[in-house]
């Protein structure tokens, strides 16, 4: 089933995982992760895609396995920053053959050693990829895109970022998933301003729990998201106490989810970092609210 069809029926709860990174290419460690996440009954699980397509095969394999073995819809990430049309057709043909109907179309991070002078320049933006898929595989895939509550680091302004987001939606993205944010007010601003500019597709809120001070600070720096005052005070006070920091991270993520649901969010997308026990604990902390959320329609 296409995720756009699910979103027309009810708000969604989804998880994101990534192919295991090891030298021998063995991905069997992901099986236990998916098995535990499946018990939480997500509407879909998305699988990330390495820079330059470094994990293409594993992404396709894991996305297929999620759908076939666990009977859960999967979303395969696909990036285009140094891809050619021929490369992309190869991956898209594989996904279509495996019955994967959902793709998150991304520009992607610049791969190590990326040289704009020699790298392919056929696709410079995620909207280019979305337009390519829409034109060459009509009705085969439900496309989604990424968005940034606190503005993409390469955008000149919120206004410029929203213009690009509109292009992405118009190119075929039927829903959007946000980058990580720690202040829900930025999500509400994004939603409000996007709607003003005619971006009417669902915007799912991406949440990543941080369970230690170093991880939280690194996450903030890497994703360009600000740390609210109340959370920063807690980090200052308890950074040297791992158990306390884990409690803070879990409770804060649960609070974000509860606040978002209260304000009518159309979907919660949890970045699990392949740690199903963390996802399980957060779901436990807001179980009754999540049940009400998922039964809303």
């Amino acid at each position: 089933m296409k995720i756009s069809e699910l979103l027309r029926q009810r708000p969604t709860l989804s998880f994101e995982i990534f192919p295991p990174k090891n030298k021998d290419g063995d991905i069997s460690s992901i099986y236990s992760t998916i098995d535990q996440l499946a018990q939480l009954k997500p509407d879909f699980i998305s699988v990330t895609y390495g820079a330059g397509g470094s994990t293409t095969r594993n992404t396709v394999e894991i996305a297929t396995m999620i759908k076939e073995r666990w009977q859960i819809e999967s979303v395969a990430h696909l990036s285009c920053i140094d891809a050619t049309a021929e490369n992309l057709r190869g991956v898209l043909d594989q996904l279509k053959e495996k019955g994967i109907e959902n793709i998150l179309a991304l520009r992607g991070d610049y791969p190590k050693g990326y040289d704009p002078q020699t790298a392919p320049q056929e696709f410079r933006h995620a909207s280019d990829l979305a337009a390519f898929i829409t034109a060459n595989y009509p009705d085969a895939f439900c496309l989604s895109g990424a968005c940034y509550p606190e503005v993409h680091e390469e955008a000149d302004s919120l206004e410029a970022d929203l213009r690009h987001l509109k292009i992405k939606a118009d190119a075929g993205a039927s829903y959007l998933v946000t980058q990580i944010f720690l202040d829900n007010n930025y999500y509400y601003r994004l939603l409000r301003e996007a709607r003003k500019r005619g971006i009417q597709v669902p915007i799912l809120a991406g949440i990543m729990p941080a369970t230690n001070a170093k991880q939280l600070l690194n996450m903030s720096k890497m994703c360009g998201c600000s740390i609210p005052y109340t959370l920063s005070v807690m980090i200052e006070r308890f950074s040297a106490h791992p158990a306390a920091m884990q409690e803070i991270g879990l409770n804060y993520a649960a609070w974000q989810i509860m606040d978002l649901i209260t304000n009518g969010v159309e979907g919660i997308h949890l970045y699990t970092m392949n740690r199903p026990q963390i996802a399980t604990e957060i779901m436990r902390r807001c179980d009754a609210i999540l049940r009400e959320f998922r039964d809303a329609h």
Side-chain angles (χ1 to χ4, degrees), residues 154-167:
E154 295 176 27
D156 294 331
S157 63
L158 173 62
E159 185 61 41
D161 204 20
L162 288 163
R163 279 199 304 272
H164 287 112
L165 192 60
K166 181 72 163 61
I167 292 169

Side-chain angles (χ1 to χ4, degrees), residues 11-266:
T12 57
L13 170 67
S14 54
F15 302 131
E16 183 168 300
I17 60 174
F18 56 82
K21 297 170 184 173
N22 49 54
K23 292 180 181 178
D24 59 9
D26 179 18
I27 63 169
S28 59
S29 62
I30 202 68
Y31 301 160
S32 173
T33 297
I34 301 170
D35 198 46
Q36 292 176 68
L37 291 174
Q39 294 174 40
L40 301 174
K41 299 186 176 3
D43 293 294
F44 65 90
I45 297 175
S46 70
V47 188
T48 67
Y49 188 84
S54 59
T55 61
T56 305
R57 181 179 59 81
N58 290 342
T59 298
V60 173
E61 183 177 340
I62 293 168
T64 303
M65 190 167 51
I66 290 167
K67 186 161 184 171
E68 292 181 352
R69 184 185 297 187
W70 282 276
Q71 302 293 300
I72 296 171
E73 286 303 326
S74 59
V75 176
H77 292 207
L78 183 59
S79 65
C80 65
I81 187 59
D82 65 345
T84 64
E86 184 180 357
N87 295 150
L88 290 172
R89 283 183 190 277
V91 179
L92 290 162
D93 287 343
Q94 286 181 59
L95 291 169
K96 188 176 179 181
E97 181 185 339
K98 298 290 186 180
I100 304 302
E101 299 178 274
N102 302 289
I103 293 173
L104 177 60
L106 302 162
R107 184 198 70 177
D109 297 327
Y110 291 106
K112 189 175 181 181
Y114 177 82
D115 182 353
Q117 299 301 318
T118 58
Q121 295 289 315
E122 293 179 55
F123 302 90
R124 305 192 57 158
H125 306 286
S127 55
D128 299 333
L129 174 58
F132 174 81
I133 297 172
T134 300
N136 290 278
Y137 297 81
D139 302 319
F141 301 106
C142 166
L143 302 181
S144 54
C147 57
Y148 301 81
E150 295 186 57
V151 183
H152 191 284
E153 63 180 358
E154 295 176 27
D156 294 331
S157 63
L158 173 62
E159 185 61 41
D161 204 20
L162 288 163
R163 279 199 304 272
H164 287 112
L165 192 60
K166 181 72 163 61
I167 292 169
K168 193 181 295 185
D170 290 346
S174 58
Y175 69 96
L176 302 165
V177 183
T178 76
Q179 179 57 275
I180 300 153
F181 59 92
L182 295 168
D183 185 339
N184 286 3
N185 287 314
Y186 284 110
Y187 171 82
Y188 300 136
R189 181 186 70 170
L190 170 66
L191 194 65
R192 181 179 67 248
E193 297 304 319
R195 298 299 184 240
K196 282 182 186 177
R197 289 157 180 80
I199 303 169
Q200 298 300 333
V201 298
I203 300 178
L204 314 189
I207 301 295
M208 181 188 284
T211 53
N212 66 67
K214 184 178 179 182
Q215 179 191 34
L216 199 153
L217 293 170
N218 286 343
M219 183 177 84
S220 173
K221 184 177 179 181
M222 178 182 70
C223 302
C225 63
S226 55
I227 301 175
Y229 174 75
T230 51
L231 182 57
S232 67
V233 170
M234 291 179 192
I235 296 169
E236 262 184 57
R237 171 68 176 82
F238 296 106
S239 60
H241 303 276
M245 277 306 306
Q246 174 155 316
E247 193 76 7
I248 288 165
L250 292 171
N251 280 328
Y252 192 81
W255 175 84
Q256 277 192 278
I257 291 169
M258 287 187 259
D259 180 71
L260 288 161
I261 290 172
T262 299
N263 286 283
V265 73
E266 293 165 295

Side-chain angles (χ1 to χ4, degrees), residues 266-292:
E266 293 165 295
I268 298 292
H269 187 69
L270 199 64
Y271 295 98
T272 72
M273 300 302 291
N274 290 7
R275 298 173 68 195
Q277 67 279 9
I278 296 295
T280 300
E281 183 58 27
I282 289 171
M283 296 301 100
R284 185 190 69 77
R285 290 174 189 230
C286 43
D287 179 62
I289 287 174
L290 278 167
R291 283 203 307 272
E292 177 72 19

